[in-house]
Amino acid sequence: MATACNRNTVLNLMRGAAHRMAITDGDRHFTRVGTLVHKRIFCTKTTIGFRQQMDHTVPPKEFKWTPGNMINENFKLGDNGHVCVVLNRQIQVPAHVVKSLWKNAAVRCAVDGGSNHWREFLLGQGVIKRPKGAPATGGPFEPLDVITGDFDSITEETVDFFKSTPKIHTPDQDATDFTKAITVLQPVMAQRKIHDVIVFHDTSGRLDQVMANLNTLYKAQKDNCNVFLLSGDSITWLLRPGKHTIQVPLDLVKTQRWCSLMPVGSMAHNVTTTGLKWNLYHTQMEFGGMVSTSNTYSTEFVQVETDANLIWSMGAYDFEEKLRQTSK
């Protein structure tokens, strides 16, 4: 944030979102974030709806994705920059990628225990705590803009290390700290016309946490909010109903890195792909039926046309090799 005035405006927007998130009744917290109470029903889940979309009676919405901008080219998403979020897992993304994405971010947030891991990352990069009274900007890393969460994981050492960083308490236990952080950030993103969130999120080995992170992708989906899960070996995001063009870095194509399409949460009645080694043609996808894992590429441009939400995940160039070399 360039000025104190702008910083205060941003923090007020975040705090306002946090206050709207929970309405206290004694010791209970109820989620109230302006969503409809009734279950959403998509016309594309009906026979007529998805036939119209796939037959282009109703033109499908089109999306274009350039994941290479995150990992080996510009290290920046969007004209107005992106948001960086650190979750409560050890950061295994290569340091040069983290540094570049962090530098080019417009907003930087740590989620509860994620601040512990960000502190460890900074110390591992030789960044020492600034003396008292030193300016909050400058140095090799831009400072955190905010720390959010219910604060059951952040340590006293980390609280002291980030003493001057604003902290927003989100106590609602009906949502994960990750989901609540996205809710806090969205008003700022809307004001500053930022559409992309890059999340450092390496998995813990716990399936429930993996699924909770995927659930946040579904809950956060909006026309102006794209959330990418970036780990030490993969990039994952949500493909909404429509026609998607994914420009795959050529190195991934040449090395035949893996990719996958997963119908998490509901059936996709009609999925067609081009540019994969094993393509789908008007395929019905669901758990207990067809899923696409351990696929790879036949060309630089992959197209996915779907009538329902799908999770797209892909191996990230050079990440796994760097980790193997580091572990030796």
Side-chain angles (χ1 to χ4, degrees), residues 272-287:
T272 296
T273 69
T274 61
L276 298 178
K277 184 174 182 178
W278 294 284
N279 281 306
L280 305 170
Y281 182 71
H282 295 300
T283 302
Q284 179 174 293
M285 300 184 72
E286 64 177 328
F287 276 98

Side-chain angles (χ1 to χ4, degrees), residues 51-107:
R51 280 182 179 170
Q52 284 180 332
Q53 178 170 308
M54 291 298 129
D55 292 341
H56 296 175
T57 304
V58 177
K61 187 166 185 178
E62 296 194 8
F63 304 83
K64 297 185 184 299
W65 307 99
T66 53
N69 287 342
M70 270 184 282
I71 58 174
N72 62 4
E73 293 179 12
N74 300 323
F75 298 106
K76 180 180 178 181
L77 295 180
D79 295 334
N80 298 314
H82 53 265
V83 175
C84 274
V85 173
V86 184
L87 297 189
N88 188 16
R89 300 310 323 157
Q90 181 182 3
I91 299 171
Q92 297 186 29
V93 177
H96 76 282
V97 176
V98 176
K99 290 177 183 179
S100 297
L101 290 173
W102 195 263
K103 177 182 177 180
N104 293 329
V107 180

Side-chain angles (χ1 to χ4, degrees), residues 14 18 21 85-88 109-115 146-154 166-173 175-182 184:
M14 291 181 180
M21 199 184 314
V85 173
V86 184
L87 297 189
N88 188 16
C109 170
V111 179
D112 203 347
S115 55
V146 66
I147 299 173
T148 70
D150 58 14
F151 301 141
D152 63 348
S153 301
I154 189 171
K167 299 170 183 66
I168 296 178
H169 187 216
T170 56
D172 177 19
Q173 296 301 301
T176 66
D177 282 338
F178 179 20
T179 298
K180 291 180 287 186
I182 297 296
V184 168

